[in-house]
Every structure is written in structure tokens, then in C-alpha cells.
């Protein structure tokens, strides 16, 4: 599974101009089953938005990177994506279908 941090690299006015396209891109990937949750990063009081957070289901790193390369924010050089891969070994029952299987290591 992946946590992706989107970090804005452009002025908010440029980000705002790409939001509709970005939201459509996000919606397509929800429909495809790629994304589990997405949202804005909560800014400190009085500060502007700095980016977003996306949690993607388990897939190959290459597939995720190909998906992220089509984000309108990426295409327009408005944000960069920081990808953090992890094994989701435990979840709340409602998310059990997203849990990774524990693969024993050989000793």
C-alpha cells in the first residue's frame, strides 16, 4: 500500500486553475479502484494549503508511478509527489480487503 504526499510547488492561483482537472483525475482512479482515500493536507492556522494526501491500494510501484505521472498537477509542474510504501498488515474490519498478506521470511 502507499501513502502519497502531494507538495505544491506553484502559487495557489495556479493550483486553483488545475483543481477541476485534478479532481476528475482523482475520480477516475477511485472508479478504477486505485485510490482508497484522498484529501487536502490541513494547513497550520492562517497558512495556505501546502498539498494533499492520497492513499493508494497495493499495486506495483511502477504502476503507481505511471498513475501519478498523469496527475494534472504533475503534468503542469504544480506539485511533486512523495511516495511512501508500506505493508498494511492490520486494518479496521471495514478495510480488511486492503490489508497485505503477511509473507513469512525464510530464516
Amino acid at each position: 500500500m502507499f501513502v502519497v504526499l502531494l507538495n505544491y510547488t506553484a502559487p495557489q492561483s495556479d493550483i486553483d486553475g488545475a483543481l477541476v482537472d485534478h479532481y476528475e483525475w482523482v475520480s477516475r482512479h477511485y472508479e478504477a479502484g486505485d485510490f482508497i482515500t484522498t484529501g487536502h493536507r490541513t494547513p497550520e492556522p492562517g497558512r495556505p494549503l501546502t498539498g494533499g494526501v492520497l492513499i493508494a491500494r497495493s499495486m506495483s510501484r511502477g504502476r503507481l508511478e505511471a498513475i501519478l505521472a498523469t496527475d494534472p498537477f504533475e503534468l503542469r509542474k504544480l506539485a511533486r509527489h512523495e511516495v511512501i510504501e508500506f505493508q498494511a498488515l492490520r486494518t479496521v474490519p471495514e478495510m480488511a480487503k486492503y490489508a497485505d498478506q503477511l509473507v513469512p521470511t525464510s530464516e
Side-chain angles (χ1 to χ4, degrees):
M1 189 175 279
F2 299 91
V3 173
V4 180
L5 302 178
L6 282 77
N7 298 294
Y8 295 153
T9 59
Q12 188 64 49
S13 59
D14 293 346
I15 299 297
D16 292 344
L19 278 177
V20 170
D21 292 339
H22 175 74
Y23 290 156
E24 289 173 357
W25 172 81
V26 167
S27 293
R28 282 195 308 275
H29 289 286
Y30 271 112
E31 290 168 15
D34 298 324
F35 297 163
I36 296 169
T37 190
T38 57
H40 294 287
R41 292 169 68 175
T42 304
E44 294 190 25
R47 305 295 247 162
L49 292 174
T50 60
V53 178
L54 179 158
I55 298 180
R57 71 177 312 126
S58 228
M59 64 180 75
S60 73
R61 177 85 178 227
R63 179 171 177 224
L64 177 64
E65 288 175 355
I67 289 169
L68 296 176
T70 65
D71 179 355
F73 286 165
E74 178 74 27
L75 294 171
R76 298 176 191 176
K77 308 288 187 226
L78 303 176
R80 64 180 174 76
H81 297 91
E82 178 184 351
V83 178
I84 303 164
E85 186 171 3
F86 73 101
Q87 271 193 308
L89 299 176
R90 294 180 66 189
T91 67
V92 295
E94 297 82 2
M95 289 189 61
K97 69 180 183 178
Y98 298 110
D100 294 317
Q101 298 301 311
L102 181 59
V103 179
T105 57
S106 352
E107 296 181 291

